[in-house]
Amino acid sequence: MNNAARTGHAQSADSIASTDFTVLNAPEGPAQGSLVERKSEFIGNACHVATLDEALAFVQTIRERHPKARHVAYAGVCGASERLSERMSDDGEPSGTAGKPILDVLRAKHLTDCVVSVTRYFGGILLGSGGLIRAYATAASLAVEAADIAALMPSRHYRVALEYRHLGAFEHLLESVQGTRVDASYAQGVVYDVLVPCEQCDRFESQLRDAFSGTVRPQTLDMVNQVVPQVVPSQ
């Protein structure tokens, strides 16, 4: 099985805030689409994953479900902003005829945090490179079209240590930048884990400095994608 992985720079946070999407279907119930091309059956499956390791685990479950299939090619994309990562495999098909067409579908639809596999049952007739590329791309597109799709909001994960007397002011500030509290611990003081949309991060940090005279300093932990509540149509 031939694999390829890439980590590279994506669009700016402001631009991808309105263009990135993900598949919501869980690995236990992936979206599916299929076609038959010259007696070969191509079955596409799409699901949400948080990491490329989860993508590989999903592909393995597909292999186990289809032990008689000739190939299970796939492509997965995870991450946000400059941490966008991709992985793909032709799984024995001629180089560039399976994994790359699937990956191109994900790129064209601005999808991340998801994986699409395409299982091929060989029908005895060779399709040629062009035929394979079209078949794998079509099966991937059909799977994505059958999926539940939602918009994503690239966000920064902060950890903020606060005094109890600061909670009200901080929560008001967090709401003003469309931030979300995801965890909290209470002892002598309070430690909040919050997510702030990337396009609001400069404002959040500036207002935090001003509101607390520089005594409250947020710790940046990671970049994550938040699912926007409303579901949007597939592109």
Side-chain angles (χ1 to χ4, degrees):
M1 178 176 65
N2 55 316
N3 292 290
R6 183 182 69 85
T7 300
H9 293 282
Q11 305 164 31
S12 68
D14 287 347
S15 65
I16 64 175
S18 59
T19 58
D20 273 15
F21 300 87
T22 194
V23 173
L24 295 180
N25 303 71
E28 297 78 18
Q32 182 172 305
S34 64
L35 75 152
V36 176
E37 183 69 25
R38 300 179 70 181
K39 297 185 179 181
S40 282
E41 184 179 14
F42 295 83
I43 305 168
N45 286 281
C47 74
H48 184 86
V49 293
T51 67
L52 292 179
D53 284 344
E54 290 183 11
L56 292 173
F58 172 73
V59 173
Q60 183 58 35
T61 66
I62 295 297
R63 295 185 195 282
E64 292 169 359
R65 292 178 197 172
H66 299 276
K68 295 183 179 180
R70 179 70 68 89
H71 307 281
V72 181
Y74 75 90
V77 182
C78 290
S81 189
E82 71 277 2
R83 297 195 177 191
L84 191 68
S85 298
E86 302 170 338
R87 185 179 294 274
M88 62 184 177
S89 171
D90 295 312
D91 194 32
E93 294 282 28
S95 179
T97 64
K100 181 63 162 52
I102 301 170
L103 181 60
D104 286 343
V105 169
L106 301 188
R107 289 173 173 172
K109 295 180 180 294
H110 304 283
L111 289 165
T112 187
D113 292 349
C114 64
V115 59
V116 174
S117 67
V118 177
T119 303
R120 182 189 183 189
Y121 283 91
F122 183 56
I125 300 175
L126 298 177
L127 301 184
S129 295
L132 287 173
I133 291 170
R134 287 190 296 272
Y136 277 100
T138 300
S141 294
L142 290 172
V144 170
E145 288 169 8
D148 296 324
I149 305 294
L152 288 173
M153 182 184 298
S155 302
R156 189 169 293 165
H157 183 186
Y158 291 100
R159 181 162 291 159
V160 185
L162 300 158
E163 297 179 25
Y164 281 95
R165 62 190 176 94
H166 291 154
L167 286 184
F170 177 79
E171 289 176 351
H172 177 74
L173 189 158
L174 186 64
E175 183 179 0
S176 74
V177 296
Q178 303 171 348
T180 305
R181 177 164 58 89
V182 293
D183 197 11
S185 61
Y186 302 90
Q188 290 184 339
V190 182
V191 178
Y192 275 0
D193 277 18
V194 301
L195 297 179
V196 177
C198 287
E199 58 189 9
Q200 296 281 355
C201 285
D202 288 345
R203 181 183 169 203
F204 171 69
E205 294 180 16
S206 175
Q207 290 189 359
L208 202 59
R209 285 192 300 270
D210 294 343
F212 302 107
S213 302
T215 60
V216 176
R217 299 180 179 179
Q219 176 188 1
T220 301
L221 298 182
D222 203 357
M223 298 286 293
V224 299
N225 285 320
Q226 289 192 81
V227 174
V228 176
Q230 68 269 27
V231 175
V232 300
S234 301
Q235 297 187 345

Coordinates of all heavy atoms in Angstrom, one line a residue, residues 180-225:
T180 N -16.2 30.7 23.4 CA -16.9 29.6 24.1 C -16.0 29.0 25.2 O -14.9 28.7 25.0 CB -17.3 28.5 23.1 OG1 -18.0 29.0 22.0 CG2 -18.1 27.4 23.8
R181 N -16.6 28.8 26.4 CA -15.9 28.1 27.5 C -16.1 26.6 27.3 O -17.2 26.2 27.2 CB -16.4 28.6 28.8 CG -15.8 27.9 30.0 CD -16.0 28.6 31.3 NE -17.4 28.7 31.6 CZ -18.1 27.9 32.3 NH1 -17.6 26.7 32.7 NH2 -19.4 28.1 32.6
V182 N -15.0 25.9 27.3 CA -15.1 24.4 27.1 C -14.7 23.6 28.3 O -15.0 22.4 28.4 CB -14.2 24.0 25.9 CG1 -14.8 24.6 24.6 CG2 -12.8 24.4 26.0
D183 N -14.0 24.3 29.3 CA -13.7 23.6 30.5 C -13.4 24.6 31.6 O -13.0 25.8 31.3 CB -12.5 22.7 30.2 CG -12.3 21.6 31.3 OD1 -13.2 21.4 32.2 OD2 -11.2 21.0 31.4
A184 N -13.4 24.2 32.8 CA -13.1 25.1 33.9 C -12.7 24.2 35.1 O -13.2 23.1 35.4 CB -14.4 25.9 34.3
S185 N -11.8 24.8 35.9 CA -11.4 24.2 37.2 C -11.4 25.3 38.2 O -11.0 26.4 38.0 CB -10.0 23.5 37.1 OG -9.0 24.5 36.8
Y186 N -11.8 24.9 39.4 CA -12.0 25.9 40.5 C -11.2 25.4 41.7 O -11.3 24.3 42.2 CB -13.5 26.0 40.9 CG -14.4 26.4 39.7 CD1 -15.0 25.4 38.9 CD2 -14.6 27.7 39.4 CE1 -15.8 25.7 37.9 CE2 -15.5 28.1 38.4 CZ -16.0 27.1 37.6 OH -16.8 27.4 36.5
A187 N -10.4 26.3 42.2 CA -9.6 26.1 43.5 C -9.4 27.4 44.1 O -10.4 28.1 44.4 CB -8.2 25.5 43.1
Q188 N -8.2 27.9 44.4 CA -8.0 29.2 45.0 C -8.4 30.3 44.0 O -8.8 31.4 44.3 CB -6.6 29.4 45.4 CG -6.2 28.5 46.7 CD -4.8 28.8 47.2 OE1 -4.0 29.3 46.4 NE2 -4.6 28.5 48.4
G189 N -8.2 29.9 42.7 CA -8.6 30.7 41.6 C -9.4 29.9 40.6 O -9.7 28.7 40.9
V190 N -9.6 30.4 39.4 CA -10.4 29.7 38.4 C -9.5 29.6 37.1 O -8.8 30.6 36.8 CB -11.7 30.5 38.0 CG1 -12.4 29.7 37.0 CG2 -12.5 30.7 39.3
V191 N -9.5 28.5 36.5 CA -8.8 28.3 35.2 C -9.8 27.9 34.2 O -10.5 26.9 34.3 CB -7.7 27.2 35.3 CG1 -7.0 27.1 33.9 CG2 -6.6 27.6 36.3
Y192 N -10.0 28.8 33.2 CA -10.9 28.5 32.1 C -10.1 28.0 30.8 O -9.1 28.6 30.5 CB -11.7 29.8 31.7 CG -12.9 30.1 32.5 CD1 -13.3 29.2 33.6 CD2 -13.7 31.2 32.2 CE1 -14.5 29.5 34.3 CE2 -14.8 31.5 33.0 CZ -15.2 30.6 34.0 OH -16.3 30.9 34.7
D193 N -10.7 27.0 30.1 CA -10.3 26.7 28.8 C -11.3 27.3 27.9 O -12.5 27.0 28.0 CB -10.1 25.2 28.6 CG -8.8 24.7 29.1 OD1 -8.1 25.4 29.8 OD2 -8.4 23.6 28.7
V194 N -10.9 28.1 26.9 CA -11.9 28.8 26.0 C -11.5 28.6 24.6 O -10.3 28.5 24.3 CB -12.1 30.2 26.4 CG1 -12.6 30.4 27.8 CG2 -10.8 31.0 26.2
L195 N -12.4 28.7 23.7 CA -12.2 28.7 22.2 C -12.6 30.1 21.7 O -13.8 30.5 22.0 CB -12.9 27.6 21.5 CG -12.6 26.2 21.9 CD1 -13.5 25.2 21.1 CD2 -11.1 25.9 21.6
V196 N -11.8 30.7 20.9 CA -12.1 32.0 20.4 C -11.8 32.0 18.8 O -10.8 31.5 18.4 CB -11.1 33.1 21.0 CG1 -11.4 34.5 20.3 CG2 -11.4 33.2 22.5
P197 N -12.8 32.4 18.0 CA -12.6 32.4 16.6 C -11.4 33.1 16.2 O -11.1 34.2 16.8 CB -13.9 33.1 16.1 CG -14.9 32.9 17.1 CD -14.2 32.9 18.4
C198 N -10.6 32.6 15.3 CA -9.3 33.2 14.9 C -9.4 34.6 14.5 O -8.6 35.4 14.8 CB -8.7 32.4 13.8 SG -8.0 30.7 14.3
E199 N -10.5 35.0 13.8 CA -10.7 36.3 13.4 C -10.9 37.3 14.5 O -10.9 38.5 14.3 CB -11.8 36.4 12.3 CG -13.2 35.9 12.8 CD -14.2 35.8 11.7 OE1 -13.8 36.0 10.6 OE2 -15.4 35.6 12.1
Q200 N -11.2 36.7 15.7 CA -11.4 37.6 16.9 C -10.3 37.5 17.9 O -10.3 38.2 18.9 CB -12.7 37.1 17.6 CG -14.0 37.2 16.8 CD -14.5 38.7 16.8 OE1 -14.0 39.6 17.5 NE2 -15.6 38.9 16.1
C201 N -9.2 36.8 17.6 CA -8.2 36.6 18.6 C -7.4 37.8 18.9 O -7.1 38.1 20.1 CB -7.2 35.5 18.1 SG -7.9 33.8 18.2
D202 N -7.1 38.6 18.0 CA -6.3 39.9 18.3 C -7.2 40.8 19.2 O -6.7 41.4 20.1 CB -6.0 40.6 17.0 CG -4.9 39.9 16.2 OD1 -4.2 39.1 16.7 OD2 -4.7 40.3 15.0
R203 N -8.5 40.9 18.9 CA -9.4 41.7 19.7 C -9.5 41.1 21.1 O -9.5 41.9 22.1 CB -10.7 41.7 19.0 CG -11.8 42.6 19.8 CD -13.1 42.5 19.0 NE -14.1 43.1 19.9 CZ -15.4 42.8 19.7 NH1 -15.8 42.0 18.8 NH2 -16.3 43.4 20.5
F204 N -9.6 39.8 21.2 CA -9.7 39.1 22.5 C -8.5 39.4 23.4 O -8.6 39.9 24.5 CB -9.9 37.6 22.3 CG -9.8 36.8 23.6 CD1 -10.8 36.9 24.5 CD2 -8.7 36.0 23.8 CE1 -10.7 36.1 25.7 CE2 -8.6 35.2 24.9 CZ -9.6 35.3 25.9
E205 N -7.3 39.3 22.8 CA -6.1 39.5 23.6 C -5.9 40.9 24.0 O -5.5 41.3 25.1 CB -4.9 39.0 22.8 CG -4.9 37.4 22.6 CD -3.7 36.9 21.8 OE1 -2.7 37.7 21.7 OE2 -3.7 35.8 21.3
S206 N -6.2 41.8 23.0 CA -6.1 43.3 23.3 C -7.1 43.7 24.4 O -6.7 44.4 25.4 CB -6.4 44.1 22.0 OG -6.4 45.4 22.3
Q207 N -8.3 43.3 24.3 CA -9.3 43.6 25.3 C -9.0 43.0 26.7 O -9.3 43.6 27.7 CB -10.7 43.2 24.9 CG -11.3 44.0 23.7 CD -12.7 43.7 23.4 OE1 -13.3 42.9 24.1 NE2 -13.3 44.4 22.4
L208 N -8.4 41.8 26.7 CA -8.0 41.2 27.9 C -6.9 42.0 28.6 O -7.0 42.2 29.8 CB -7.5 39.7 27.6 CG -7.6 38.7 28.7 CD1 -9.0 38.5 29.3 CD2 -7.0 37.4 28.2
R209 N -6.0 42.4 27.9 CA -4.9 43.3 28.4 C -5.5 44.6 29.0 O -5.1 45.0 30.1 CB -3.9 43.6 27.4 CG -2.9 42.5 27.0 CD -1.7 43.0 26.2 NE -2.2 43.6 25.0 CZ -2.3 43.0 23.8 NH1 -2.0 41.7 23.8 NH2 -2.7 43.6 22.7
D210 N -6.4 45.2 28.3 CA -6.9 46.5 28.7 C -7.8 46.3 29.9 O -7.8 47.1 30.9 CB -7.7 47.1 27.6 CG -6.9 47.5 26.4 OD1 -5.6 47.6 26.6 OD2 -7.4 47.8 25.3
A211 N -8.7 45.2 29.9 CA -9.6 45.1 31.0 C -9.0 44.7 32.3 O -9.5 45.1 33.4 CB -10.6 44.0 30.6
F212 N -7.8 44.0 32.3 CA -7.2 43.6 33.5 C -5.8 44.1 33.7 O -5.0 43.6 34.4 CB -7.2 42.0 33.6 CG -8.6 41.4 33.5 CD1 -9.0 40.8 32.3 CD2 -9.5 41.5 34.5 CE1 -10.3 40.3 32.2 CE2 -10.8 41.0 34.4 CZ -11.2 40.4 33.3
S213 N -5.5 45.2 33.0 CA -4.3 45.9 33.1 C -3.0 45.0 33.0 O -2.0 45.2 33.6 CB -4.2 46.7 34.5 OG -5.3 47.6 34.6
G214 N -3.2 44.0 32.1 CA -2.1 43.1 31.8 C -1.8 42.1 32.8 O -0.9 41.3 32.7
T215 N -2.7 42.0 33.8 CA -2.5 40.9 34.9 C -3.0 39.6 34.5 O -2.6 38.6 35.1 CB -3.1 41.4 36.2 OG1 -4.5 41.5 36.0 CG2 -2.5 42.7 36.7
V216 N -3.9 39.5 33.5 CA -4.4 38.3 33.0 C -3.8 38.0 31.6 O -4.0 38.7 30.7 CB -6.0 38.3 32.9 CG1 -6.5 37.0 32.3 CG2 -6.6 38.6 34.3
R217 N -3.1 36.9 31.6 CA -2.4 36.6 30.3 C -2.8 35.2 29.8 O -2.5 34.2 30.5 CB -0.8 36.6 30.6 CG -0.3 37.9 31.0 CD 1.2 37.9 31.2 NE 1.7 39.2 31.6 CZ 2.9 39.4 31.9 NH1 3.9 38.5 31.8 NH2 3.3 40.7 32.3
P218 N -3.5 35.2 28.7 CA -4.0 33.9 28.1 C -2.8 33.0 27.6 O -1.9 33.5 27.0 CB -4.9 34.3 27.0 CG -4.3 35.6 26.5 CD -3.8 36.3 27.8
Q219 N -2.9 31.7 27.9 CA -1.9 30.8 27.3 C -2.5 30.1 26.1 O -3.6 29.5 26.2 CB -1.6 29.7 28.4 CG -0.7 28.6 27.9 CD -0.5 27.5 28.9 OE1 -1.2 27.5 30.0 NE2 0.3 26.5 28.6
T220 N -1.8 30.2 25.0 CA -2.3 29.6 23.7 C -2.0 28.1 23.7 O -0.8 27.7 23.9 CB -1.7 30.2 22.5 OG1 -2.1 31.6 22.5 CG2 -2.2 29.6 21.2
L221 N -3.0 27.2 23.6 CA -2.7 25.8 23.6 C -2.7 25.2 22.2 O -1.9 24.3 21.9 CB -3.8 25.1 24.4 CG -3.9 25.5 25.9 CD1 -5.0 24.8 26.6 CD2 -2.6 25.3 26.6
D222 N -3.6 25.5 21.4 CA -3.7 24.8 20.1 C -4.7 25.6 19.1 O -5.4 26.5 19.6 CB -4.3 23.4 20.3 CG -3.9 22.5 19.2 OD1 -3.2 22.9 18.2 OD2 -4.2 21.3 19.3
M223 N -4.7 25.1 17.9 CA -5.7 25.6 16.9 C -6.6 24.5 16.7 O -6.2 23.3 16.5 CB -5.0 26.0 15.6 CG -4.0 27.1 15.7 SD -4.8 28.7 15.9 CE -5.6 28.9 14.3
V224 N -7.9 24.8 16.7 CA -9.0 23.8 16.5 C -10.0 24.3 15.5 O -10.2 25.5 15.3 CB -9.6 23.3 17.8 CG1 -8.6 22.7 18.7 CG2 -10.3 24.5 18.5
N225 N -10.8 23.4 15.0 CA -12.0 23.7 14.2 C -13.3 23.5 15.0 O -13.5 22.4 15.6 CB -12.1 22.8 12.9 CG -11.1 23.2 11.9 OD1 -10.8 24.4 11.6 ND2 -10.5 22.2 11.2

